[in-house]
Amino acid sequence: MRILIIEDEKKAAAYLQKGLTENGFTADTTHSGEDGLHLARTEAYDLVILDIMLPGRDGWSVLQELRAGGSDVPVIYLSARDVVQDRVRGLELGADDYLVKPFAFSELLARVRTILRRGSARQPESLRADDLEMDLVSHKARRGGTALDLTAKEFLLLSLLLRRKGEVLSRTLIAEQVWGINFDSDTNIVDVAIRRLRRKMDDPFERKLIHTVRGVGYVLDER
Ligand code: CA
């Protein structure tokens, strides 16, 4: 497994590289966003660790350019601050996970392993949470054995939430993924669709799976 570390603090980069190497990974480091973007585009990496605060081209720009170019390499970004806006921005730009500095190396290693496992599991044919099951091949959803009558958009919306179970998804991200509409569009459409979806798959059942995260978006979670 080959990992690219894009981090301008040389000591931190060397420390990560050493730790990853000791744990059986091949790790390359670069200290600039521009070089990092170039490497990520031209070499085959299984994962990229990306610092956000970089001189010149910053981590957001690297991530955006990577995704715009069609790369789906998993990205863990390193943020200097733990604020909701940064988390949402990271998700919107297509990051897979993030860590707030300072973090323990063991924490990073655990995230790296989780993501690489998820990546190699490929696209599952069915998804589940609690008593909710979705068959992505036959396009059928059931809760507690009862078939749910969902429209195509509702199915897509529920599968997005379920695929990213436990992750808070912003309205903007949901609007983009389900309706293909972009940032400044009216995201009220998301709230309306969630309400309809809940009426079908949450309201009739005792345990609720879709939760509202105020000011951020929605998460599907078995709480
Ligand atoms: Ca930095």
Side-chain angles (χ1 to χ4, degrees):
M1 288 285 180
R2 196 164 168 218
I3 297 177
L4 175 63
I5 301 160
I6 309 174
E7 162 66 272
D8 60 309
E9 289 151 53
K10 294 190 173 141
K11 267 191 185 164
Y15 171 73
L16 292 180
Q17 185 177 31
K18 183 167 174 281
L20 289 167
T21 307
E22 282 170 359
N23 282 278
F25 296 96
T26 304
D28 295 341
T29 56
T30 173
H31 308 303
S32 101
E34 203 60 61
D35 291 350
L37 179 60
H38 176 73
L39 280 169
R41 276 176 165 164
T42 52
E43 305 283 323
Y45 289 103
D46 298 293
L47 187 133
V48 175
I49 295 171
L50 174 64
D51 186 33
I52 291 302
M53 301 288 281
L54 295 167
R57 186 187 281 283
D58 70 8
W60 297 128
S61 163
V62 172
L63 182 55
Q64 194 164 22
E65 288 296 312
L66 258 185
R67 295 302 184 234
S71 165
D72 59 359
V73 64
V75 173
I76 297 179
Y77 69 89
L78 308 179
S79 170
R81 46 182 208 163
D82 186 14
V83 292
V84 171
Q85 289 94 312
D86 276 11
R87 261 175 278 163
V88 171
R89 189 166 180 199
L91 285 178
E92 284 171 351
L93 290 176
D96 295 80
D97 206 345
Y98 73 100
L99 278 169
V100 177
K101 292 180 175 183
F103 52 84
F105 180 76
S106 57
E107 181 64 26
L108 175 77
L109 190 60
R111 307 283 181 99
V112 165
R113 286 187 169 140
T114 302
I115 287 176
L116 292 176
R117 224 176 10 242
R118 193 161 71 196
S120 62
R122 316 289 297 174
Q123 180 88 326
E125 291 188 344
S126 64
L127 298 166
R128 67 172 58 230
D130 199 90
D131 58 353
L132 170 69
E133 286 172 71
M134 293 187 83
D135 185 324
L136 302 178
V137 179
S138 68
H139 262 245
K140 293 212 167 74
R142 307 168 79 80
R143 241 202 115 166
T146 307
L148 302 172
D149 183 20
L150 305 178
T151 64
K153 285 282 185 239
E154 287 164 352
F155 190 90
L156 194 57
L157 173 58
L158 187 58
S159 68
L160 171 68
L161 287 161
L162 189 50
R163 197 173 295 131
R164 297 176 67 166
K165 186 166 68 175
E167 271 182 54
V168 180
L169 305 182
S170 71
R171 288 175 178 79
T172 323
L173 179 133
I174 295 171
E176 276 184 330
Q177 301 265 322
V178 178
W179 287 270
I181 54 178
N182 58 33
F183 277 53
D184 18 15
S185 307
D186 179 14
T187 49
N188 181 44
I189 188 173
V190 176
D191 297 321
V192 174
I194 291 272
R195 207 176 306 140
R196 283 210 200 99
L197 181 60
R198 277 175 158 160
R199 218 172 285 153
K200 294 179 179 180
M201 53 68 64
D202 254 351
D203 294 353
F205 301 91
E206 197 184 328
R207 288 188 302 277
K208 309 305 174 199
L209 292 175
I210 297 179
H211 308 277
T212 306
V213 180
R214 276 195 140 198
V216 186
Y218 297 96
V219 58
L220 189 149
D221 221 341
E222 301 145 318
R223 294 190 180 169

